[in-house]
Amino acid sequence: MKKHSIRRLLSAGVAACLLFTFSGCTDQNGPAPSPAPSESELTAVRTGLQKASQIEGLGTIDKMELYENGERSAATEIVEAKDNKVIYYSGDTQRVVNYPDGYILDLPASWKQDFSYSPIRVRYTSDDMVLTITTEELKKPSAEEHLEEYVNLHLLDRRWQALNRVSPLQPVETKTYGEFTAQIIRMQLKDMPEGSKDHYTYVNLYSNRTTFYHFLFRSTGPIENLEEILNSFERIPQKGLAMFAPLPEFDSPTIDENWTPETKALYDTLCSQKKMNWGIFQSNMASTGYNIQIPNMEKKVGYDFPIMSQYIHLQHEFPLELARQIHEDGKILQLSYQYTTSNNTDLGGYTPVLDILRGEKDETLRAFARALKEYGQPTLLRLNNEMNSDWTTYCALVNMVDADSFVESWMRLYNICKEEGVNNAIWVFNPQSGSFPPGKWSNWINYLPPIEAVHVIGLTAYCSGYKGFPSWKEMYTENIRQFAPFFQENWPMAIPEFACGRGDGTLKQQQLDWIAQTFKDIESLPQIKYGIWFSANDYTEDGSKIVNHYSLDIKDKDLMEAFRKGFAEYYA
């Protein structure tokens, strides 16, 4: 393959990617900012916040807390437009009044609250337990049908349990608590390290309404006070709107101080560049895809793709030979590493994520990290893409219905890479556009690793042609919107894979029109720094029929001309 300049990516004079936002500035002669409230003010018993119906049977109120939009407040009255949560403390009990989600709940006073992601979830923690509560909406005619298909599909499957060493601790219970029916499931993840939170208790509270409540307790042992907690649950009228708390850690990505100069330069360029770079994945990438098909395509379209994409699974070795060839040709490798041994099929079968949590795959991950370190060149490491789905073996649906399993398995590799001295990885976090199954518990935010372990935000949306041809701009404007409360202009975004198909194969002109419009639309979303066309068709399971037509056929003159014209005009 001929040499290719990477000046588009490693341009001379590295630009700083971080922008600075100044807030709270006042005129030098203006009033001084108010002092922060004291702890006594934040926990004072405030009659203006109390309602008699909320404290019935609670006893003497020792202290109170008010959370407004996720942060503690010393306010003495409720502003109903805000996200308000009032907490009454009495003895060893805290009574939580969650206005936006519309319920009251008694919990141990020692459990710590986290309302940072209130529109999606609330969380309570102790040394040996994590409780996550989400308020959900039924998408099936009955709660039983919804739970069977969208929540417990694999969890209650005996084959899945056996293959993944998950043991039911008792039969599924159905009990009544006031107006609610409770489905209670108790599981244990076997062979976990000592002291692990290996007990999973699931409670789904539902009634004759479409709203239901999903509880996940993850703990080191049985939840002894479960009956008291569920008996205390009471629905109240919803008021206000759930809001995300201010999260300053999201303002800018964390730069890895150990990056090689080349890796830092690549990242700085990604952050600052004004044009979107194109990359490509081609089927048979390690052989004819890279050595024959892509070079021929580059000649026909008049563009040298600066980013090459490859996929490997947990059992595969790092593609060192291909990576070195890509670097020698002046290109950048994006590597999608997926925790699957079945190519994300047989979702009701074995999932390696749980063995990663057990520590049983550490040597596999360590071998990968060592090979990545040996390669040494800047690598866009895209780990477990499209995790917020129901079609990958690392999604929550097949891993204890718990997105924390994804976070912990991500951090397992991240920390091993640190231990092995990997200093050339730019970590790409890439959820799917929209979350599946439907529900807040499966929302992408639950999968987000600690922010220091993420450098690029990946976007994924396909236009298959089967449901019309929404434009690239429409798809990715919507895709970016889901990240809006968190990742702003300081964060580089990318499209690690995308394509437009031609429906059943007959909609060629619509595909050509879509491509032409895409080149016109790209500049409208400057935060997207690169996009990779997935040039491979999807087939039926038996391989007999193309399901999605995404491959860029170099024999298709019209298709090649659409790209040639687009590249020429965009980079003119």
Side-chain angles (χ1 to χ4, degrees):
M1 178 174 283
K2 71 179 187 177
K3 284 284 184 179
H4 169 77
S5 169
I6 61 172
R7 284 176 293 177
R8 282 196 294 267
L9 288 174
L10 301 180
S11 57
V14 170
C17 77
L18 301 181
L19 304 175
F20 296 93
T21 301
F22 298 96
S23 61
C25 297
T26 60
D27 184 86
Q28 61 181 359
N29 296 319
S34 301
S38 66
E39 184 66 18
S40 61
E41 290 174 313
L42 291 169
T43 58
V45 176
R46 287 156 276 181
T47 57
L49 303 180
Q50 294 182 19
K51 289 191 175 181
S53 60
Q54 295 175 356
I55 59 177
E56 184 178 347
L58 190 57
T60 302
I61 308 301
D62 304 318
K63 65 178 183 177
M64 293 175 62
E65 289 179 318
L66 169 65
Y67 282 81
E68 291 182 323
N69 300 341
E71 296 185 303
R72 286 201 303 169
S73 168
T76 57
E77 294 182 351
I78 293 285
V79 178
E80 289 194 1
K82 294 184 177 182
D83 177 345
N84 294 294
K85 295 175 178 68
V86 175
I87 304 174
Y88 302 93
Y89 291 88
S90 178
D92 59 1
T93 299
Q94 60 171 303
R95 177 165 293 176
V96 181
V97 182
N98 185 329
Y99 280 103
D101 289 333
Y103 62 79
I104 296 175
L105 181 67
D106 286 355
L107 299 170
S110 60
W111 290 8
K112 304 300 182 184
Q113 313 89 357
D114 181 359
F115 301 134
S116 302
Y117 300 151
S118 181
I120 303 300
R121 74 184 190 207
V122 297
R123 180 165 279 187
Y124 305 89
T125 59
S126 68
D127 291 341
D128 56 7
M129 186 282 320
V130 177
L131 165 61
T132 304
I133 305 176
T134 56
T135 302
E136 306 286 0
E137 292 295 321
L138 295 177
K139 301 298 182 182
K140 289 288 185 178
S142 70
E144 292 80 6
E145 290 176 84
H146 180 103
L147 295 172
E148 181 180 3
E149 181 171 347
Y150 291 145
V151 182
N152 303 325
L153 179 64
H154 303 297
L155 188 68
L156 297 181
D157 181 79
R158 292 302 180 93
R159 175 175 175 264
W160 177 89
Q161 292 171 2
L163 289 172
N164 295 290
R165 289 177 281 165
V166 175
S167 296
L169 295 177
Q170 63 184 59
V172 177
E173 289 185 280
T174 302
K175 303 179 74 173
T176 300
Y177 297 92
E179 67 172 291
F180 294 99
T181 299
Q183 180 196 65
I184 304 173
I185 302 170
R186 295 177 174 89
M187 297 284 191
Q188 185 175 14
L189 185 57
K190 306 297 287 187
D191 303 322
M192 288 287 284
E194 186 177 353
S196 297
K197 296 181 179 67
D198 58 358
H199 283 65
Y200 292 75
T201 303
Y202 308 85
V203 179
N204 294 293
L205 282 175
Y206 57 93
S207 63
N208 59 356
R209 304 189 190 184
T210 59
T211 299
F212 74 99
Y213 304 92
H214 177 71
F215 291 60
L216 168 56
F217 298 83
R218 186 176 174 186
S219 56
T220 57
I223 303 298
E224 303 292 348
N225 53 352
L226 182 63
E227 281 293 306
E228 292 90 337
I229 291 172
L230 297 183
N231 271 314
S232 75
F233 191 89
E234 177 187 349
R235 197 195 308 266
I236 62 172
Q238 292 176 281
K239 294 181 180 179
L241 182 67
M243 301 287 288
F244 291 105
L247 299 166
E249 62 268 30
F250 286 87
D251 289 348
S252 298
T254 302
I255 305 302
D256 191 331
E257 295 180 354
N258 295 316
W259 271 342
T260 64
E262 295 81 6
T263 305
K264 177 64 163 58
L266 171 60
Y267 189 70
D268 286 344
T269 301
L270 286 176
C271 289
S272 61
Q273 68 188 36
K274 303 304 181 185
K275 292 279 189 179
M276 187 186 92
N277 286 295
W278 286 69
I280 193 164
F281 167 76
Q282 180 64 53
S283 53
N284 302 314
M285 191 69 177
S287 55
T288 57
Y290 184 69
N291 292 313
I292 298 175
Q293 291 166 281
I294 291 176
N296 288 336
M297 187 186 307
E298 289 177 330
K299 291 177 182 177
K300 289 181 178 291
V301 302
Y303 179 77
D304 288 347
F305 294 98
I307 304 174
M308 296 290 110
S309 178
Q310 177 62 316
Y311 295 74
I312 63 169
H313 299 155
L314 187 65
Q315 72 273 25
H316 298 153
E317 294 183 354
F318 182 89
L320 194 55
E321 182 178 348
L322 174 64
R324 284 172 170 163
Q325 188 177 358
I326 288 171
H327 175 67
E328 288 171 3
D329 292 327
K331 299 177 184 288
I332 299 297
L333 171 66
Q334 176 188 270
L335 183 63
S336 297
Y337 188 33
Q338 299 178 338
Y339 292 162
T340 182
T341 57
S342 65
N343 195 21
N344 293 309
T345 61
D346 191 22
L347 297 181
Y350 169 68
T351 167
V353 168
L354 301 181
D355 279 347
I356 290 173
L357 300 188
R358 294 182 176 104
E360 296 176 3
K361 297 296 182 181
D362 280 5
E363 286 308 308
T364 299
L365 300 182
R366 204 167 291 281
F368 172 86
R370 288 169 179 162
L372 177 58
K373 168 69 173 176
E374 181 183 351
Y375 172 52
Q377 302 303 326
T379 303
L380 298 162
L381 180 56
R382 179 190 185 222
L383 180 61
N384 292 335
N385 57 293
E386 300 176 28
M387 73 297 293
N388 56 328
S389 63
D390 55 7
W391 58 79
T392 63
T393 57
Y394 40 83
C395 70
L397 186 66
V398 298
N399 288 286
M400 306 303 293
V401 194
D402 180 20
D404 280 352
S405 63
F406 174 90
V407 176
E408 292 173 20
S409 63
W410 176 293
M411 294 307 295
R412 195 89 180 193
L413 177 59
Y414 182 83
N415 289 327
I416 285 174
C417 283
K418 289 294 183 186
E419 293 169 7
E420 295 295 333
V422 173
N423 55 6
N424 56 314
I426 296 171
W427 293 73
V428 181
F429 174 67
N430 186 187
Q432 162 72 14
S433 177
S435 296
F436 303 94
K440 292 182 179 180
W441 70 267
S442 62
N443 187 273
W444 72 269
I445 194 66
N446 298 305
Y447 292 87
L448 182 66
I451 206 64
E452 68 271 12
V454 176
H455 304 120
V456 175
I457 303 304
L459 314 169
T460 293
Y462 276 82
C463 177
S464 67
Y466 285 104
K467 296 181 179 180
F469 286 81
S471 71
W472 181 94
K473 183 178 179 180
E474 290 171 336
M475 291 194 307
Y476 285 101
T477 298
E478 179 60 31
N479 207 174
I480 289 171
R481 187 174 292 123
Q482 70 179 337
F483 298 109
F486 307 99
F487 303 106
Q488 299 295 329
E489 66 273 9
N490 291 353
W491 284 82
M493 293 186 173
I495 308 175
E497 66 176 74
F498 80 109
C500 176
R502 50 180 69 180
D504 59 2
T506 64
L507 304 176
K508 176 179 176 179
Q509 188 56 54
Q510 289 90 329
Q511 181 192 44
L512 296 176
D513 292 342
W514 190 93
I515 293 168
Q517 187 61 45
T518 293
F519 278 103
K520 297 176 183 177
D521 288 344
I522 290 174
E523 294 196 43
S524 66
L525 297 175
Q527 58 270 61
I528 298 177
K529 306 304 182 180
Y530 71 85
I532 293 179
W533 189 282
F534 187 88
S535 181
N537 293 326
D538 288 341
Y539 290 83
T540 54
E541 286 191 17
D542 62 6
S544 63
K545 182 181 178 181
I546 297 175
V547 178
N548 290 312
H549 295 73
Y550 297 133
S551 183
L552 301 181
D553 185 355
I554 61 174
K555 297 187 295 296
D556 188 326
K557 295 182 179 179
D558 295 330
L559 189 57
M560 293 297 100
E561 175 59 20
F563 276 98
R564 187 206 63 77
K565 182 179 179 182
F567 286 132
E569 293 178 355
Y570 181 62
Y571 292 110

